[in-house]
Amino acid sequence: MSQRRKFIKQTLMSSALFIPGVGQTFANGPKSQNAGEKPLILSTWNHGLPANAAALKKYAETNNILDAVEAGVMDTELDMSNLSVGLQGLPDREGITTLDASIMKGDGSCGSVAFVRQVKHPISLARVVMEKTPHVMIVGEGARQLAIAEGFPIEEEKLSPKAKAAYLKWKETSQYKPVINIENHDTIGMIGIGADGKLAGSCTTSGLAYKMHGRVGDSPIIGAGLYVDDEVGAATATGLGESIIRICGSFLIVELMRQGRTPQEACEETVRRLVAKNEKNIKDLQAGFLAINKDGEVGAFAVHPGFNFAKGGLHGNAMIDSNSYFKG
Ligand code: SD4
C-alpha cells in the first residue's frame, strides 16, 4: 500500500470513530465549513453517521467514491431500527414493503430500481442497472427478476416485528397523512467527493409509509432524489417525494450551482421553489436537501426545522442541524 493510501486509511479509520459536536447548528448555514475538504461524505438524518463511517471505511479500502456511497447506504439498508429504509421499512397500504433506490456517478452514469420487493440491497441492484444493462431504471417484478438473474438473495416477504406492529395500528384507522420528521421521513441520501475530485451519490428508501401500492417517490428518480455532475457538484433529497419530483429538486440544485450559486444558496432557492409549488399542503410536508460542490463546499436546507445530516471526512464525522424556510 502506498504511503498516501496508508495515511488516508489510518486517518479515516480514526475519524470514523470521532464524533464531535453532535447537533451543531450554523446560523448562516453550513456552506463554508471545511470547504475544500476531500474526501467528504454527506448523508441525511441520524443514520447518516454510521452510514458515513461505513462509506469512509470503504473509501479507505478502495479509493473509489462510488464504492463508498454504495457501501455507506448498504449499512442503513440493514439497520433494523430504521423503518424507512430496507426490507424492515414500513409497508404500503396492502401491508407490502416495496423499495426504491438510485445511484449516480459524476460522469452521468446512473441506475435505479423502484417498487421492488424482497431484495435486501436495492442500492446494489441499482448499481447493476447502471453497470450491466443499457437502461437507467427498472421497476417492480422486472427488478426482482434482474436481482434473481444476478444472484441476489431473494428474501421471504415478511414484515419486521416493528413494522408489523405499526402497520396493524395504522390499519385501525387506515388514515394516510404525511407527518413531518417522524419515521415515515427517514430516507438515506448520500453524496460524496473523493480526493481525486470525482463525485458520486446514492439514495435508498422504503418510501412513504402506507403509500398506495405501486407508488414511487423521488428517491429512484434521477434529478429528483439524486443528481451528480463532476463538473459542478451533487445533491440529494429527503421528504415528501411528490413535492420533490414536482420541482426536479436535486437537478435544480446542481443547475443553480452551475450558474454560480453556492451549495447553500442553491439549496435555499430550491426549497423556496418547492414551497411556492406546494402551497396547499406546505404546513404538512417536510423536504430537505443536501448539496456539495466540486470544491467540497456544503449546503443544506429544509422546509421545516428538524432536518439534520451527517458530514464525514478527514476531520471527523458529525451531525449538523440544517436551517429551514419555516422557523418552527
Ligand atoms: C419518498 N422521499 O418516498 C421519500 C421519503 C423520504 O425521508 O425521504 N423519507 O417520498
Side-chain angles (χ1 to χ4, degrees):
M1 189 184 300
S2 74
Q3 277 311 104
R4 189 176 144 273
R5 276 193 67 183
K6 203 165 159 193
F7 167 76
I8 293 177
K9 184 167 183 170
Q10 280 169 352
T11 319
L12 291 178
M13 297 303 261
S14 53
S15 69
L17 299 171
F18 172 59
I19 307 172
V22 174
Q24 202 176 344
T25 303
F26 296 96
N28 296 313
K31 73 180 175 193
S32 61
Q33 275 289 312
N34 292 329
E37 183 186 339
K38 294 172 197 166
L40 189 64
I41 309 270
L42 306 179
S43 50
T44 55
W45 305 113
N46 288 327
H47 49 236
L49 212 52
N52 277 2
L56 290 164
K57 183 169 179 287
K58 183 57 116 183
Y59 185 81
E61 288 161 11
T62 64
N63 255 344
N64 181 320
I65 196 66
L66 183 71
D67 289 345
V69 298
E70 180 190 8
V73 303
M74 282 172 79
D75 181 84
T76 321
E77 286 178 340
L78 294 183
D79 176 359
M80 291 306 286
S81 68
N82 187 311
L83 294 184
S84 299
V85 179
L87 290 177
Q88 64 281 2
L90 293 171
D92 65 16
R93 288 178 179 194
E94 317 303 325
I96 301 167
T97 303
T98 68
L99 306 179
D100 297 341
S102 63
I103 194 158
M104 186 165 191
K105 273 166 71 178
D107 66 359
S109 317
C110 52
S112 74
V113 290
F115 187 45
V116 62
R117 292 157 74 160
Q118 296 176 277
V119 174
K120 212 185 253 182
H121 287 300
I123 196 63
S124 302
L125 192 55
R127 186 167 176 176
V128 165
V129 174
M130 174 171 86
E131 292 180 339
K132 297 193 180 173
T133 80
H135 307 303
V136 164
M137 189 170 195
I138 298 189
V139 308
E141 180 56 17
R144 204 181 71 98
Q145 289 299 330
L146 178 66
I148 293 168
E150 286 294 320
F152 283 59
I154 298 298
E155 306 299 323
E156 187 191 346
E157 201 150 51
K158 189 167 149 230
L159 294 182
S160 67
K162 270 192 186 170
K164 188 170 178 188
Y167 177 63
L168 292 177
K169 180 134 191 45
W170 174 79
K171 272 192 73 163
E172 287 168 13
T173 55
S174 298
Q175 265 190 359
Y176 175 64
K177 198 167 181 276
V179 185
I180 291 171
N181 285 338
I182 63 162
E183 284 189 319
N184 63 357
H185 285 285
D186 231 358
T187 294
I188 184 147
M190 175 178 279
I191 47 179
I193 189 163
D196 57 2
K198 294 257 188 295
L199 289 143
S202 55
C203 191
T204 179
T205 187
S206 53
L208 286 190
Y210 321 127
K211 60 195 175 188
M212 288 175 71
H213 189 61
R215 179 265 189 192
V216 169
D218 59 305
S219 308
I221 298 180
I222 300 299
L226 179 68
Y227 200 72
V228 185
D229 185 338
D230 277 342
E231 287 175 17
V232 181
T236 191
T238 178
L240 188 67
E242 285 73 5
S243 70
I244 296 162
I245 294 170
R246 241 169 236 135
I247 59 157
C248 292
S250 295
F251 181 72
L252 178 57
I253 290 174
V254 172
E255 290 313 295
L256 288 166
M257 293 195 292
R258 194 189 305 278
Q259 290 161 23
R261 312 277 182 111
T262 64
Q264 186 61 32
E265 288 165 352
C267 287
E268 291 183 17
E269 177 58 26
T270 297
V271 168
R272 276 194 287 275
R273 186 84 59 93
L274 186 149
V275 170
K277 296 285 183 204
N278 293 274
E279 271 176 348
K280 271 190 239 142
N281 57 339
I282 200 66
K283 288 274 175 280
D284 292 327
L285 76 86
Q286 172 67 310
F289 295 95
L290 287 183
I292 188 170
N293 67 12
K294 66 179 170 55
D295 299 322
E297 283 185 307
V298 168
F301 207 59
V303 175
H304 295 281
F307 174 48
N308 63 359
F309 65 100
K311 179 177 173 220
L314 294 175
H315 299 291
N317 185 22
M319 291 310 299
I320 298 176
D321 288 335
S322 164
N323 284 328
S324 56
Y325 182 93
F326 295 106
K327 298 297 174 203

